[in-house]
Amino acid sequence: MATYTLPELPYDYAALEPVINPQIIELHHDKHHAAYVKGANDTLEQLEEARDKEAWGAINGLQKNLAFHLSGHILHSIYWHNMTGDGGGEPLAADGVGDLADAITESFGSFAGFKSQLTKAAATTQGSGWGVLAYEPVSGKLIVEQVYDHQGNVGQGSVPVLVFDAWEHAFYLQYKNQKVDFIEAMWAVVNWQDVAERYAAAKERADVLLLAP
Ligand SMILES: [Fe+2]
């Protein structure tokens, strides 16, 4: 029995048009995300084998593979739910996401400042990476992280609540080399309800995450 499984998409392949075309969603979910799930499961098996054989020389490489594939699986699992064809705009109290709106203002000064920072963080990734809005439990605030690959440059303990995939596989078939255009277009499909739920859950569990008051 595999430890990790590929989650179903919460919508059909065409649900995010015109921001993301169906071909991208199909390949991204069915091939790329699936590969990370397989990679994480395979790596766990290889680690077990290495322990059985006391092949400790394999550990260094396998630990890197585990971080890469597992983080890829987790970020993509969040990514699909962060988007909806009915999304976009700003989080508003009238839509029941006032706590998130307040936290963004408190953490970044304004929604506009936050939006520009996250857009820039995602668009300026060198090579492959992500722009991430995360809840940081020590300060109790939201921060933006620019993630290398799926796992680098991350503050320990932070919980991703909104993730922008800036890998070429996320946009190249439609946007070619215009990564900035893709990231800017992404704001039109953000599912603020989902982001708000993730924020509330992370905040609720902050004390558990840190084993401190
Ligand atoms: Fe991706």
Side-chain angles (χ1 to χ4, degrees):
M1 186 70 183
T3 302
Y4 302 107
T5 53
L6 181 66
E8 295 279 320
L9 280 175
Y11 34 69
D12 63 40
Y13 296 135
L16 303 176
E17 281 198 297
V19 174
I20 307 178
N21 73 32
Q23 188 186 17
I24 289 179
I25 297 292
E26 182 174 2
L27 285 169
H28 199 169
H29 175 267
D30 296 6
K31 302 298 181 187
H32 292 281
H33 188 169
Y36 300 129
V37 172
K38 182 177 188 308
N41 287 324
D42 287 353
T43 306
L44 287 179
E45 276 181 27
Q46 290 157 11
L47 281 162
E48 186 178 353
E49 199 177 306
R51 288 192 300 274
D52 289 346
K53 293 180 178 171
E54 299 190 3
W56 307 123
I59 295 299
N60 178 252
L62 290 173
Q63 295 296 163
K64 289 177 183 170
N65 287 346
L66 182 63
F68 177 81
H69 291 295
L70 177 55
S71 299
H73 171 40
I74 290 170
L75 285 174
H76 284 93
S77 298
I78 298 169
Y79 181 64
W80 306 124
H81 287 272
N82 275 168
M83 298 185 287
T84 172
D86 300 323
E90 291 187 28
L92 298 171
D95 299 327
V97 292
D99 284 354
L100 174 67
D102 290 347
I104 287 173
T105 304
E106 188 187 331
S107 302
F108 299 99
S110 66
F111 180 80
F114 151 68
K115 185 176 177 181
S116 295
Q117 184 180 342
L118 181 51
T119 299
K120 205 71 178 175
T124 60
T125 48
Q126 295 174 325
S128 298
W130 298 71
V132 172
L133 173 68
Y135 178 74
E136 196 288 289
V138 177
S139 64
K141 291 190 174 181
L142 292 162
I143 58 170
V144 164
E145 296 177 314
Q146 185 184 56
V147 179
Y148 301 150
D149 295 329
H150 303 305
Q151 76 282 23
N153 213 31
V154 175
Q156 294 287 348
S158 61
V159 181
V161 296
L162 172 62
V163 300
F164 281 13
D165 193 336
W167 282 55
E168 286 188 348
H169 68 218
F171 65 89
Y172 213 84
L173 288 173
Q174 185 176 352
Y175 292 83
K176 306 295 188 290
N177 60 323
Q178 302 300 314
K179 181 157 67 171
V180 176
D181 290 352
F182 167 62
I183 300 298
E184 287 178 349
M186 278 289 300
W187 289 98
V189 292
V190 172
N191 182 346
W192 291 113
Q193 199 66 46
D194 180 70
V195 178
E197 284 171 17
R198 292 176 191 281
Y199 168 68
K203 193 176 170 186
E204 179 73 23
R205 298 184 57 203
D207 56 338
V208 179
L209 290 168
L210 293 169
L211 301 175

